[in-house]
Amino acid sequence: MKNKIKTRLIKWWGNMRQMGSGLKEAESSGRGAEKILRETEQWLSQIINFLPDATFAIDKGGKVIVWNRAIEDMTGVKASDIIGKSDYEYSLPFYGIRRPILIDLVLVSNEEIERKYRFVKKEGGVLLAEANVPVRGINKVLWGKASPLYDNEGNIVGAIESIRDITARKQAEIALQESEERFRTLVENASDIIFRTDSTGHFTFFNPVALRLSGFTQEELLGKNYLTLIRLDMRDEAAKWFGRQFVKKIENTYFEYPFITKSGQEI
C-alpha cells in the first residue's frame, strides 16, 4: 500500500509540474500559480521525506529528482548533494561505481543487471529484488522495489525505488535455519523415540526410530491423533499430562505408558 501511495504521489507531483509550466505561461495565472506550484511541491516533498523506507526517483534521463531523508540516513549522502545529478550518481553510495541498478531496469530491460541480484521478480510494471550491497563499508542485504512514474497522459517519465535494509532479518533467518538443522540432526540420530504433535494432539513429526519401532510410515501417521500410538487410561497421570498440554499449560514430566506398534504390540 505504501508503495502505491508513493507512486501516486510522484505521479501527481509530475502532473503538477506540467500543469505549473502551462499556468506560468498563462497571463491570467501570474505569480499565484507559481506560488501554488511551489507549495504543492513542498508539501509532496515533506510527505516523501516522511516515508520510512529509503526512497529516490529519477527522470527518464536518469537525473535524480527525489532523495528522501531515509536514504540520506542509509547512504550518508544529502539530497542537496545529489538532486539534479545523473550519470548513475545514485549507484555510487551503494556500489562505489557508476552502473545501472534496479531502478534502471524499470526503464530498460537488461539481463546483465538482473544477474547482479539474488532474484528479480516482476509484478506488472513493478520490480522486486534482493541483493548483497556494501553500504558505507558494511555488507548489507537490501530489498528493493522499483516502479515507473507516469505523466497525466500515461507516458513513463521516470522511475522510483524504495530500499529496505533486511540484514538483521536475514541473519535471524540463517541462525534459525542453522538451529533447526542442528536440532534435526540430533533428533534424527537419537536412539529414543521422538515425536511431535500440534496443539490438537495430531502428529506433525517423527524421528526415524519412532517410525522403525512403530512399523508405520510417516505418511500413515502424519495428521493422526497421538492416541494412535499411545494407549492411555484416561484416569492415570500420563493421560492427564497430555490433556494439560493441549490447553496450553506446558510442562515437562516423566512417566511410563504403552507405545502401540502397527501390529498391535505394546512397547
Side-chain angles (χ1 to χ4, degrees), residues 94 131-142 165 167 171:
F94 298 101
N132 288 321
V133 181
V135 182
R136 304 175 78 171
I138 301 174
N139 288 326
K140 300 281 188 179
V141 182
L142 300 183
D165 184 349
T167 307
Q171 290 173 342

Side-chain angles (χ1 to χ4, degrees), residues 11-99:
K11 180 179 178 180
W12 186 23
W13 192 354
N15 293 343
M16 290 300 293
R17 291 179 69 91
Q18 286 192 339
M19 186 184 300
S21 298
L23 289 172
K24 283 187 287 185
E25 294 175 2
E27 292 181 2
S28 60
S29 300
R31 294 181 180 178
E34 295 181 25
K35 182 180 178 182
I36 292 172
L37 179 61
R38 286 196 302 272
E39 289 177 350
T40 302
E41 289 183 343
Q42 183 180 10
W43 178 65
L44 289 172
S45 177
Q46 289 173 352
I47 291 175
I48 292 169
N49 274 328
F50 185 73
L51 295 172
D53 287 338
T55 304
F56 74 103
I58 59 175
D59 64 17
K60 201 169 181 180
K63 182 173 66 177
V64 179
I65 58 175
V66 172
W67 193 266
N68 76 347
R69 287 176 187 154
I71 201 168
E72 284 185 337
D73 294 338
M74 177 181 283
T75 64
V77 177
K78 297 296 183 182
S80 57
D81 295 329
I82 197 168
I83 295 291
K85 293 186 177 180
S86 55
D87 191 25
Y88 304 117
E89 185 82 13
Y90 44 84
S91 71
L92 291 175
F94 298 101
Y95 296 98
I97 60 173
R98 298 178 185 274
R99 47 154 282 198

Side-chain angles (χ1 to χ4, degrees), residues 208-225:
V209 175
L211 296 173
R212 178 168 56 82
L213 293 181
S214 71
F216 288 98
T217 65
Q218 183 165 284
E219 290 73 20
E220 289 174 323
L221 285 179
L222 279 178
K224 297 289 178 33
N225 189 274

Side-chain angles (χ1 to χ4, degrees), residues 226-240:
Y226 71 98
L227 293 175
T228 305
L229 291 182
I230 300 172
R231 182 168 296 162
L232 295 177
D233 183 334
M234 301 313 291
R235 296 167 297 179
D236 66 24
E237 286 304 311
K240 293 176 182 177

Side-chain angles (χ1 to χ4, degrees), residues 176-190:
L176 178 60
Q177 183 179 5
E178 290 176 347
S179 177
E180 289 178 343
E181 288 175 354
R182 287 195 296 270
F183 171 76
R184 183 169 293 276
T185 298
L186 289 171
V187 168
E188 290 185 348
N189 288 282

